[in-house]
Amino acid sequence: MKLRSALLLVPATLALAAALLAPATAGGATARPGHAPTTLRELAKQQHIKIGSAVDVAALAAEADYRRVLNREFNSITAENAMKWESIEPQRGVFDWSGADAIVANARRNHQAIRGHTLAWHNQLPTWITDNEANFTAAELRGILRRHVMTEAGRYRGQIRAWDVLNEAVADGGGLRDTIWLRKLGPGYIADLFRWAHQADPHAKLYYNDYNLESDQAKFDTMFQVVTDLLEDGVPIHGVGFQGHLDIQFSFPDFAGHMKRITDLGLEVAITEADVRMFLPVTDEKLATQASYYSQMMSACIANRRCTEYTVWGYTDRHSWVPGFFEGQGAACLLDENLAPKPAYDALLALGGKRT
Ligand code: 9MR
């Protein structure tokens, strides 16, 4: 298989990659050199973190090579779309758990932790909700949201390591995002969500998850205030997910510093949706920058003892959301369309060693 044969080339490049990339670690808590891992799963074990990937449920069912590499490389998974509201309850009261169940079953067979994504979001809601916003009373909509959280988190009770309870509720540039939930229920919906999720699955770690927290200071500040208020009110929140959708045209943002602000509160952090996009065509130089960004995100996680997980938003360019959302951009994943590892993959393996 392509990946296996390509892996034989890794040791030759390891020393160079390590020399180039490892020193980027913030705070001096760099991984010590040690036994070089040959898979991300091995790296995860050495560093005592979960290394995960978002899973495309159609590819999981249809592509044996996709499945094989997913299960070999990752000890955690997130459903890319299959656990979102529009997927599981497309019509009111009509549930379709097939995709989510298939992902959970595959993860359990392969001893992978599961990140639940996501209980409350403003995107990928079923039309029976979005089309009826004006018709629902606040009490009715609150009941619908509560029942959704209790049903979904309850179904997978005990099987989910961490839930993205609330996704992207802060606006770009700061302030709470104007969503159906905020408009109809007011800001109190946030605490409600976490309390309901905790009731439904008391052992799951409950996260707030968002993008650009490391680069949009006003957005970070609003999130920080929300999280601090929740903690002061005794609401069960355990972590903040930094999605990590990066673009090599921008400089590498301060993950370590922003993650530390959160972990200083006693919370966990995780990189939950890492990918690093570029304008096509791909060049060696762009791939080197991409490798450095993936590696620096991992280093920031390894350096922070409360960073529990590093999940990529798809591991192969064969299945990536990027080309469909950013015109002219792509090649954002660790492996190419043929599942051959890119320099970014080697750069992550080069961080192998003992966690200090
Ligand atoms: O990768 C997901 C893509 O297939 C969907 O079409 C898209 C719809 O908004 O959502 C993508 O996943 C998003 C994730 O759920 C939340 N953070 C941003 C991700 C990329 O858009």
Side-chain angles (χ1 to χ4, degrees):
M1 205 209 331
K2 282 187 174 141
L3 180 58
R4 279 231 178 276
S5 52
L7 282 174
L8 296 176
L9 302 173
V10 166
T13 57
L14 262 184
L16 179 62
L20 287 172
L21 298 162
T25 305
T30 321
R32 284 191 216 114
H35 158 70
T38 57
T39 63
L40 295 173
R41 259 189 116 125
E42 263 180 57
L43 176 67
K45 208 171 159 191
Q46 287 182 359
Q47 300 294 0
H48 306 291
I49 60 170
K50 301 295 178 195
I51 299 185
S53 175
V55 179
D56 177 319
V57 74
L60 185 71
E63 297 169 18
D65 58 345
Y66 176 89
R67 217 165 31 240
R68 201 162 47 238
V69 173
L70 176 78
N71 295 332
R72 188 184 64 219
E73 295 293 329
F74 299 97
N75 68 351
S76 180
I77 59 87
T78 307
E80 183 173 358
N81 290 303
M83 289 189 181
K84 292 172 181 172
W85 203 332
E86 71 170 8
S87 303
I88 61 157
E89 196 185 6
Q91 291 165 51
R92 192 167 186 176
V94 179
F95 291 90
D96 178 1
W97 300 102
S98 57
D101 282 357
I103 287 177
V104 168
N106 182 73
R108 288 174 67 87
R109 268 197 305 277
N110 291 283
H111 311 290
Q112 290 159 324
I114 302 167
R115 179 171 202 90
H117 178 84
T118 170
L119 293 173
W121 194 22
H122 58 280
N123 271 337
Q124 292 180 285
L125 286 170
T127 49
W128 64 265
I129 295 181
T130 49
D131 289 353
N132 284 308
E133 179 173 348
N135 302 327
F136 292 130
T137 64
E140 204 179 353
L141 193 65
R142 186 168 183 273
I144 288 170
L145 184 59
R146 178 178 188 280
R147 192 209 45 163
H148 169 72
V149 171
M150 299 302 288
T151 306
E152 182 159 17
R155 181 180 180 87
Y156 298 112
R157 183 186 177 105
Q159 303 186 60
I160 304 289
R161 189 192 77 77
W163 265 111
D164 291 330
V165 174
L166 177 56
N167 196 41
E168 301 172 7
V170 178
D172 299 337
L176 286 182
R177 186 187 288 276
D178 180 19
T179 68
I180 184 171
W181 310 118
L182 184 69
R183 281 190 298 273
K184 300 285 285 196
L185 309 181
Y189 85 90
I190 297 178
D192 288 343
L193 279 172
F194 282 89
R195 292 196 172 105
W196 294 330
H198 186 62
Q199 207 182 323
D201 189 353
H203 295 300
K205 300 285 190 188
L206 305 182
Y207 273 66
Y208 176 77
N209 189 51
D210 215 329
Y211 61 88
N212 286 358
L213 295 174
E214 65 287 348
S215 54
D216 180 338
Q217 190 58 40
K219 190 172 192 178
F220 178 89
D221 290 344
T222 299
M223 178 278 298
F224 191 84
Q225 192 59 53
V226 168
V227 164
T228 313
D229 289 349
L230 292 174
L231 288 171
E232 269 171 19
D233 292 344
V235 175
I237 178 169
H238 309 113
V240 171
F242 289 69
Q243 292 184 3
H245 293 293
L246 302 187
D247 181 332
I248 61 164
Q249 71 178 306
F250 306 116
S251 54
F252 185 79
D254 180 16
F255 273 96
H258 288 94
M259 292 193 331
K260 184 174 183 307
R261 295 268 321 269
I262 298 300
T263 56
D264 282 350
L265 297 172
L267 293 172
E268 293 183 358
V269 290
I271 308 276
T272 54
E273 306 184 12
D275 53 19
V276 183
R277 60 187 181 270
M278 61 184 69
F279 280 96
L280 301 174
V282 167
T283 65
D284 287 349
E285 199 187 341
K286 291 178 197 172
L287 289 175
T289 306
Q290 177 183 59
S292 142
Y293 282 22
Y294 267 106
S295 171
Q296 289 182 71
M297 270 192 280
M298 179 66 88
S299 293
C301 183
I302 290 171
N304 187 322
R305 286 176 178 282
R306 287 201 167 102
C307 182
T308 57
E309 176 185 332
Y310 180 100
T311 285
V312 294
W313 206 240
Y315 72 84
T316 163
D317 292 335
R318 193 193 289 171
H319 302 292
S320 165
W321 71 293
V322 168
F325 283 75
F326 298 95
E327 214 188 319
Q329 290 193 277
C333 299
L334 293 173
L335 276 60
D336 73 11
E337 297 84 351
N338 300 314
L339 309 189
K342 291 152 68 176
Y345 174 89
D346 298 345
L348 292 186
L349 288 192
L351 295 175
K354 295 262 184 302
R355 194 169 190 169
T356 52

